[in-house]
């Protein structure tokens, strides 16, 4: 028996390396030609069927004894089902009724009917308190910075904590899956990753010495597409591109929602893009230098990182040149867990009047592509991706969007973000992704205050006919004077009394009243 086991082990070791080598060569050939055999998609469909079966697996009841036969007729044994522990990201803990009420009020969607200022303030105060408690229990922001919960277990150890009942059948499947992933998939993927990295750097450096620009551009495109396709296969990526006629071909800025550092790799499997980023040292610096030899990319020094104007000028020069590649930018500025799209930074929307939106939606059933940078290092994340089943993603190229007449960059960014969220089936949120690491900024607080001031203008007579000049005067008041003024104002005061009290704190108001038309009512 020992000799037989030794012989089988030796035979397996002899066949193992040639098998891995053959698979790697086949993948390189398919990547270079842009072909696919469809094996990844078929395996992914089979795995999803297994996961769905695993989510509905039950324990077969034991055969009843003769004494229990009569009880069986009256009461059927209930099969044990999976008990899944839900969280706030996949099942709402509470109904956020008051939060929705506040949102409608601030957006002007409530019924506009004039009421007294006191009644409006009291009513809104209660709603604000209730909405605040709802946000403490479950808010719409922090849940976007954690991994999306799965409807069924995908036989990965890092996701099994959501499922309390694991049957022997699932345990056997997990062992088989573990052996398949670590003994077959991981060695192939590591080899493909090394080959992809080496080919990208070496070919890019060689292409950089080609004197003819048109031939150089063609070679660079073929080399980048081949290298990125090899990279994508090192994670068993399954990417489906939709509406390819909307792709950016020459120049321009492409913007997309951001989930993973692999977003660039996914998009580069179908098109070539110019990269924008800070110059790095070490191996990353070597990669940046190699890429820049073959094509124009924008790498800025650390001293330029805080010089927004200098970076914008370099990007504008790049966009204005139709011979250069389109720039790919992720305006959210951080990775979101692919359930929503958060606020877009306005910088890229100030540079170009035409934007090429791209919507990306990952299927987390075979592997979650979201990178939680606050809990995982880049190395840990890459290893987690290589040991997953596959990375599945749908990409939609949206028609180019142009800034409308009179539209500022902020409104343009919101309109593009809304289109991306709709195309990818994502939730459109106005919150800043920087909340992942920072506190709520003063600008967001001021925006909420402005929205509530506009509500008071609609619902009460307290803020009628308040102009921008009046608001500027009030903003220039010190906080101490403003608090004292609010203590002295009474709702029962008539117009003359209000003007007299305000004038004592703001001399400009007295001057405006004196110079204005006294025959018209002053509010």
């Amino acid at each position: 028996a020992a000799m037989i086991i030794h012989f089988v082990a030796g035979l397996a070791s002899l066949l193992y390396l040639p098998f891995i080598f053959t698979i790697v060569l086949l993948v390189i050939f398919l990547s270079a030609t842009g072909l696919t055999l469809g094996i990844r998609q078929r395996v992914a469909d089979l795995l999803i069927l297994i996961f769905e079966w695993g989510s509905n697996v039950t324990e077969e009841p034991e055969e009843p004894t003769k004494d229990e036969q009569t009880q069986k007729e009256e009461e059927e044994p209930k099969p044990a089902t999976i008990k899944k522990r839900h969280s706030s990201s996949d099942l709402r803990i509470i109904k956020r009724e008051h939060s929705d009420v506040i949102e409608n009020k601030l957006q002007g969607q409530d019924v506009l009917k004039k009421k007294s200022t006191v009644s409006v303030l009291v009513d809104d105060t209660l709603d604000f308190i209730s909405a605040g408690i709802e946000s403490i229990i479950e808010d719409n922001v922090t849940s976007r910075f954690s991994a999306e919960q799965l409807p069924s277990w995908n036989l990965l150890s890092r996701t099994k904590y959501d499922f309390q009942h694991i049957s022997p059948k699932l345990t056997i499947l997990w062992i088989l899956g573990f052996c398949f992933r670590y003994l077959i998939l991981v060695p192939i993927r590591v080899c493909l990753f090394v080959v992809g990295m080496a080919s990208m750097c070496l070919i890019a450096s060689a292409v950089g010495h080609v004197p003819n620009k048109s031939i150089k551009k063609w070679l660079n495109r073929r080399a980048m597409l081949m290298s990125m396709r090899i990279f994508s296969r090192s994670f068993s990526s399954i990417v489906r591109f939709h509406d390819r006629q909307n792709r950016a071909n020459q120049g321009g800025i492409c913007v997309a929602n951001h989930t993973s550092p692999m977003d660039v790799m996914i998009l580069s499997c179908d098109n070539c893009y110019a990269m924008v980023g800070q110059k790095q040292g070490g191996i990353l610096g070597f990669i940046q230098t190699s890429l820049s030899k073959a094509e124009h990319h924008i790498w800025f020094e650390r001293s330029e990182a805080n010089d927004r104007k200098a970076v914008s000028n370099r990007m504008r020069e790049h966009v204005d040149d139709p011979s250069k590649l389109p720039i790919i930018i992720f305006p959210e500025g951080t990775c979101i867990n692919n359930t929503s799209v958060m606020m877009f930074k306005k910088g890229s929307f100030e540079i170009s009047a035409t934007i090429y939106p791209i919507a990306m939606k990952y299927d987390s059933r075979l592997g979650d592509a979201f990178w939680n940078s606050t809990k995982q290092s880049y190395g840990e994340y890459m290893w987690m991706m290589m040991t997953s089943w596959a990375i599945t993603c749908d990409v939609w190229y949206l028609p180019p969007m142009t800034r409308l007449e009179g539209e500022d960059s902020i409104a343009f960014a919101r309109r593009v973000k809304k289109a991306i969220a709709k195309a990818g089936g994502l939730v459109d949120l106005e919150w800043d992704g920087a909340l992942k690491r920072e506190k709520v900024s003063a600008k967001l607080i001021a925006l909420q205050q402005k929205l509530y001031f506009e509500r008071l203008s609609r619902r009460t007579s307290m803020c009628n006919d308040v102009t921008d000049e009046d608001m500027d005067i009030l903003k220039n008041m010190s906080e101490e004077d403003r608090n004292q003024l609010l203590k002295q104002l009474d709702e029962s005061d008539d117009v003359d009394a209000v003007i007299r009290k305000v004038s004592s704190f703001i001399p400009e108001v007295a001057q405006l009243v004196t110079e204005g038309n006294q025959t018209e009512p002053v509010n």
Side-chain angles (χ1 to χ4, degrees), residues 207-223:
V207 170
H209 297 285
V210 176
N212 189 291
K213 290 186 178 181
S214 59
I215 296 178
K216 178 179 178 181
K217 190 177 185 67
W218 183 85
L219 289 175
N220 177 73
R221 179 177 179 84
R222 301 306 306 174

Side-chain angles (χ1 to χ4, degrees), residues 463-474:
C463 304
N464 284 351
D465 302 329
V466 178
T467 64
D468 293 338
E469 185 179 3
D470 301 332
M471 288 299 300
D472 293 336
I473 293 174
L474 293 174

